[in-house]
Amino acid sequence: MAIQMPKPSGEILGRRAEIVSALRAIVPGEGVVDASVEMRVFETDALTAYRQMPLAVVLPETVAEVAAVLRYCHANRIPVVPRGSGTSLSGGSLPLEDGVLLVLSRFNRILEVDFDNRCAVVQPGVTNLGITRAVEHAGFYYAPDPSSQIACSIGGNVAENSGGVHCLKYGLTANNVLGVEFVTMEGEVIRLGGKHLDSEGYDLLGLITGSEGLLGVVTEVTVRILQAPETARAVLIGFPTSEQAGACVAEIIAQGIIPGGMEMMDRPAIHAAEAFVHAGYPLDVEALLIVELDGVKAEVDHLLSEVEGIATKNGATTARVSQSAEERMRFWAGRKAAFPAVGRISPDYLCMDGTIPRKELPRVLAGMKALGEKYGLAVANVFHAGDGNLHPLILYDASKSDELQRAEDFGADILRLCVEVGGVLTGEHGVGIEKRDLMPEMFGEDDLKHQIRVKCAFDERHLLNPGKVFPVLHRCAELGRLHVHKGQLPFPDLPRF
């Protein structure tokens, strides 16, 4: 494994039987999994290049059980890694050898749907798509729609601040979460936000959203639901080059048009998705935009005409507007299935996630092409073009000795390029372990120390998801968080790496 994790504690490993017994007393029945064969399913998440078995897996069913597990682990200084559906693409839920994997999949109930206040209260194990399914009969839906929405959990969406194809207009998870209940490492149950609008004081809800399981364990989420638009139509636009497609994206936004969704795919992704889904994509183009306009019919018709005009100006060779809701859904089905579709044409791939200013799309696409030639690896591009959130899929074969390393180096250079042009390391997948060691590319030492101070305020022993996000694990004492008495540091057993 190229990416290093904290060295496991021999003391904790030596107490494994005792720890498992204590956990079984807290979560009875089949709530604790400790057999190696049964834990194998939890050894990785969607970043499958990295695998590691946990100390034990715990599947609580109540908030009281979550709180009791965390209190026990805090008292015994046992690391805890929260996990939802395991669809994380950044290694955010990779287990620790000496840590408890706390799986929230049994928290799978929709607790309340409140159409009057346009919100729903759900448990974190409810799938993203499950929320929409619960409200669509009344003409409502939940806007953030990651490609993995059929499987990913809303708790994981909160942890990673997930996006999706319709987040350009309607926002990321952070813009659609109204409140959470979460449990601290000490086992305290806290509520932030709710059905009301803005609360006074610090925006702690915003802090928790996107915190990647480092600050607490979410056990309930209140989300905003939206009324479905009167009309929605999508147009497929093909271009001779990815650079022309990127220029078209930048001009659409510059003209003040905010589509419901605007996605881009390059030739490898187009061909893979079409062979997999048969969505009706043109196969004689180098780049494809899917642009969806929604609203009242007259507005949608006008904006479609404007978008087609901008596309023609930027060299588009084909444009096809959906003529029915079914056809529009087929257009999106191909895009949402692009990741598994690419899995059919390559033994392995790394899905990267960086965000750039839209005007830099042509430059970055050209830069990725040059990097592909440098590393001798192909790349398929599928991304949220409207907000500049790139998802290049680096194709490699793990059975060849050096290809994983080359793929990782290629991905790191893509992310460095994103930062170089004024972008960021991640748009929605999180930092996890994948981008952890690249954080200094974007943040200075003081920046990182202040971020870690926030971690210390919630989890001073660094027991929640250690080894993720921060490239160096600091003791809180080193950051001025705790008093050092006569040169003795508190928590001397805290692992360093």
Side-chain angles (χ1 to χ4, degrees):
M1 181 182 290
I3 295 176
Q4 298 298 312
M5 295 297 290
K7 183 179 178 180
S9 164
E11 188 271 336
I12 291 176
L13 295 176
R15 294 169 48 213
R16 183 170 185 269
E18 170 197 331
I19 292 168
V20 168
S21 177
L23 292 172
R24 284 206 167 101
I26 298 171
V27 184
E30 299 180 344
V32 177
V33 179
D34 67 323
S36 59
V37 172
E38 294 173 352
M39 291 196 300
R40 187 67 63 183
V41 70
F42 300 103
E43 70 177 349
T44 187
D45 53 21
L47 186 64
T48 55
Y50 304 101
R51 300 170 185 272
Q52 187 164 277
M53 294 286 279
L55 181 77
V57 177
V58 179
L59 296 98
E61 295 188 41
T62 68
V63 176
E65 288 178 347
V66 172
V69 168
L70 290 173
R71 274 195 299 272
Y72 170 79
C73 289
H74 182 263
N76 289 273
R77 299 181 181 177
I78 301 166
V80 176
V81 176
R83 176 185 166 110
S85 297
T87 60
S88 169
L89 287 159
S90 64
S93 52
L94 183 72
L96 295 172
E97 187 180 345
D98 62 346
V100 170
L101 192 66
L102 189 64
V103 180
L104 278 298
S105 57
R106 292 183 174 179
F107 279 68
N108 57 8
R109 292 187 297 125
I110 293 178
L111 302 175
E112 180 187 3
V113 175
D114 185 345
F115 290 115
D116 290 337
N117 286 303
R118 300 197 173 196
C119 64
V121 182
V122 305
Q123 291 185 313
V126 173
T127 64
N128 176 285
L129 188 59
I131 300 175
T132 291
R133 291 283 184 260
V135 300
E136 61 186 357
H137 67 279
F140 285 80
Y141 72 108
Y142 178 62
D145 54 346
S147 295
S148 59
Q149 67 179 149
I150 192 172
C152 66
S153 65
I154 193 65
N157 289 176
V158 172
E160 306 293 351
N161 192 20
S162 302
V165 300
H166 289 95
C167 288
L168 172 60
K169 186 173 184 178
Y170 297 106
L172 300 165
T173 300
N175 306 109
N176 290 276
V177 168
L178 301 173
V180 299
E181 173 189 80
F182 78 104
V183 186
T184 69
M185 190 64 216
E186 290 86 353
E188 298 174 336
V189 181
I190 297 174
R191 283 189 173 272
L192 300 173
K195 295 182 182 180
H196 53 278
L197 294 178
D198 294 343
S199 302
E200 71 284 351
Y202 295 117
D203 182 15
L204 295 179
L205 178 60
L207 185 64
I208 294 298
T209 306
S211 60
E212 303 196 36
L214 270 70
L215 305 183
V217 178
V218 172
T219 51
E220 182 184 292
V221 187
T222 302
V223 300
R224 187 192 318 275
I225 55 174
L226 302 179
Q227 198 156 19
E230 174 188 310
T231 302
R233 298 180 74 188
V235 55
L236 297 178
I237 308 172
F239 293 87
T241 69
S242 292
E243 288 78 12
Q244 286 171 297
C248 180
V249 168
E251 187 168 345
I252 288 172
I253 301 297
Q255 291 299 319
I257 300 170
I258 307 297
M262 184 157 53
E263 301 289 299
M264 180 172 163
M265 303 165 69
D266 66 5
R267 177 179 280 272
I270 295 166
H271 282 250
E274 180 61 19
F276 189 41
V277 175
H278 307 294
Y281 293 164
L283 299 178
D284 58 347
V285 298
E286 291 297 323
L288 180 69
L289 289 183
I290 310 174
V291 184
E292 180 170 290
L293 288 309
D294 61 12
V296 298
K297 184 179 184 303
E299 178 189 20
V300 169
D301 290 344
H302 170 71
L303 291 178
L304 278 171
S305 176
E306 291 289 308
V307 167
E308 288 185 276
I310 294 170
T312 300
K313 176 183 172 184
N314 282 277
T317 55
T318 180
R320 175 182 166 194
V321 179
S322 63
Q323 300 302 312
S324 65
E326 292 74 21
E327 186 175 30
R328 177 176 66 87
M329 293 305 294
R330 279 200 304 275
F331 290 176
W332 286 119
R335 164 60 184 90
K336 287 180 175 290
F339 289 4
V342 170
R344 299 172 75 215
I345 65 172
S346 176
D348 304 280
Y349 68 80
L350 287 181
C351 176
M352 307 308 295
D353 164 51
T355 302
I356 61 172
R358 282 179 292 263
K359 67 179 180 134
E360 299 291 350
L361 271 171
R363 174 183 169 185
V364 172
L365 290 171
M368 282 196 286
K369 183 177 180 180
L371 286 170
E373 294 171 355
K374 172 184 174 181
Y375 287 102
L377 294 173
V379 60
N381 278 296
V382 184
F383 56 87
H384 310 311
D387 49 18
N389 186 195
L390 310 179
H391 292 319
L393 309 178
I394 300 172
L395 314 184
Y396 73 99
D397 185 346
S399 67
K400 297 180 179 178
S401 60
D402 68 332
E403 287 209 0
L404 173 57
Q405 186 61 56
R406 278 194 283 141
E408 289 180 326
D409 293 343
F410 185 2
D413 279 351
I414 288 174
L415 295 175
R416 290 188 182 99
L417 177 59
C418 290
V419 173
E420 180 185 324
V421 302
V424 295
L425 292 171
T426 179
E428 56 168 334
H429 292 175
V431 176
I433 62 168
E434 178 197 43
K435 307 177 188 75
R436 182 195 68 194
D437 298 333
L438 290 170
M439 288 284 275
E441 299 285 340
M442 183 173 171
F443 297 106
E445 184 179 355
D446 288 341
D447 298 324
L448 289 170
K449 284 183 177 179
H450 278 284
Q451 291 181 46
I452 296 172
R453 283 188 174 98
V454 175
K455 165 74 168 169
C456 291
F458 283 83
D459 175 25
E460 63 186 9
R461 296 182 178 178
H462 288 255
L463 295 174
L464 276 170
N465 220 5
K468 315 292 175 60
V469 180
F470 299 115
V472 178
L473 183 58
H474 290 269
R475 298 173 189 270
C476 295
E478 295 173 333
L479 300 169
R481 173 65 176 81
L482 297 175
H483 178 61
V484 180
H485 180 63
K486 294 184 178 180
Q488 298 298 311
L489 290 172
F491 317 122
D493 58 332
L494 185 69
R496 299 290 302 278
F497 64 98

